[in-house]
Amino acid sequence: MSVTQAARLVTATQQPDLTQRDATSRFAPERDARRALWQAHSRASRPDLLPWDLGLDWSVLAAERAGVLGETLCAQHLTRVDLRFTVAPTRLQALHLMEFMGLCVAPHALTDDIPPDWREVVVYLSEFGGHVGQDKVCLPAAQARAELPGCLCTRYLPPDPLPDAPTGVTGVSDRDLVVGDHVLHLRLLSRDWRSNVDVTDARWSDTTPRPATGPYGQAHDALLGPLFAIDFVTSGGVRWAVDFNTSPGATGAPVHQLPGGTIMGAVQHWRGWND
């Protein structure tokens, strides 16, 4: 069974059906036309593209997929071939995708519809998202309603303080970087409300196996693919998923613990290539 066929089985009895075409139609129908402009990169006319599939040629024989497609995926990941406009989910798509996975996702709304009990919000200024917090601002809810109507926002979730954090640390987040059948874990501390700005400490822990069940389990393999990252903020004792990244950075990651000692090696050993 191909990865695409598996995706259809996984999502057939559930809504939304998160193949790439269905996700686009449900969450951001205007992106069909925009994606068509990048036909050479995204193969917009193909209904079988998945959220992580950068136009990979699935006519490759199953026996060769790990090598050929794994190498292609990593090459495109490293060069970031128009990811924001071809395959990467929009902010809203990403939130819905993480909800579909079963994660506890940061509460979100349009600025026009901010609930009255939200005091502060994080407003996203770009549909596709930027790097290193460049496209979002933290504002009082009333100011966001008045000055930035119609924008997507999430409730600001102040991170729980860490007893061993250096003085002045205000941003704390965790990242799960999923590479093939392994998960690498990163904790970021910063002196900014955005944990990846003015970073004071970035600490990777040892890799752990990618679970067979749950959000990262085999039931979601065809949807998520072999390379992605999810960022979390722990607030009020709850680990909230706040961002999904199809082109995650891995600076300083202990990749020597992965098969072949590389990201590509781990991707090529992914359990999903021959399902």
Side-chain angles (χ1 to χ4, degrees):
M1 179 183 296
S2 72
V3 171
T4 298
Q5 291 171 326
R8 289 176 176 153
L9 287 178
V10 167
T11 59
T13 60
Q14 305 181 55
Q15 293 295 328
D17 181 1
L18 286 176
T19 60
Q20 178 67 25
R21 172 67 60 169
D22 291 340
T24 299
S25 298
R26 182 178 177 91
F27 301 134
E30 74 282 358
R31 292 192 71 203
D32 271 346
R34 186 177 302 171
R35 183 176 281 110
L37 298 176
W38 300 90
Q39 175 70 17
H41 303 296
S42 66
R43 303 188 182 183
S45 62
R46 285 177 49 188
D48 57 336
L49 287 179
L50 300 170
W52 58 273
D53 184 346
L54 289 78
L56 301 181
D57 182 3
W58 286 99
S59 65
V60 175
L61 296 176
E64 301 174 355
R65 284 178 186 163
V68 175
L69 298 189
E71 183 174 355
T72 303
L73 177 67
C74 284
Q76 292 176 324
H77 159 72
L78 292 173
T79 57
R80 289 173 165 79
V81 183
D82 301 305
L83 293 181
R84 297 285 174 184
F85 298 97
T86 56
V87 178
T90 64
R91 290 284 191 184
L92 186 58
Q93 281 179 305
L95 293 168
H96 287 169
L97 189 151
M98 293 187 293
E99 287 176 336
F100 180 82
M101 292 170 61
L103 296 171
C104 189
V105 176
H108 51 280
L110 295 180
T111 48
D112 308 85
D113 304 315
I114 295 174
D117 61 331
W118 292 13
R119 297 182 60 186
E120 290 183 285
V121 294
V122 176
V123 184
Y124 300 98
L125 306 178
S126 165
E127 174 189 7
F128 298 96
H131 291 291
V132 198
Q134 63 190 197
D135 72 324
K136 56 190 176 184
V137 292
C138 186
L139 297 172
Q143 183 179 352
R145 290 190 197 97
E147 297 180 4
L148 295 169
C151 290
L152 177 68
C153 68
T154 55
R155 186 174 189 172
Y156 173 61
L157 302 167
D160 293 345
L162 297 177
D164 57 346
T167 302
V169 164
T170 55
V172 182
S173 70
D174 295 296
R175 164 169 286 193
D176 286 352
L177 171 59
V178 179
V179 185
D181 297 333
H182 305 268
V183 186
L184 291 77
H185 308 275
L186 170 67
R187 169 158 289 181
L188 285 173
L189 307 181
S190 77
R191 301 184 189 280
D192 189 278
W193 67 271
R194 298 159 296 183
S195 60
N196 56 352
V197 175
D198 195 13
V199 174
T200 63
D201 186 53
R203 188 170 304 170
W204 292 92
S205 60
D206 289 342
T207 62
T208 58
R210 184 172 180 173
T213 59
Y216 304 154
Q218 289 176 288
H220 293 152
D221 274 2
L223 175 65
L224 300 173
L227 182 62
F228 65 92
I230 296 181
D231 294 334
F232 298 87
V233 171
T234 299
S235 180
V238 177
R239 193 176 190 237
W240 301 93
V242 296
D243 195 18
F244 180 92
N245 196 326
T246 56
S247 182
T251 302
V255 295
H256 63 278
Q257 298 180 10
L258 299 173
T262 64
I263 296 289
M264 185 184 298
V267 166
Q268 289 176 328
H269 283 83
W270 177 48
R271 65 195 177 196
W273 288 123
N274 297 312
D275 286 347

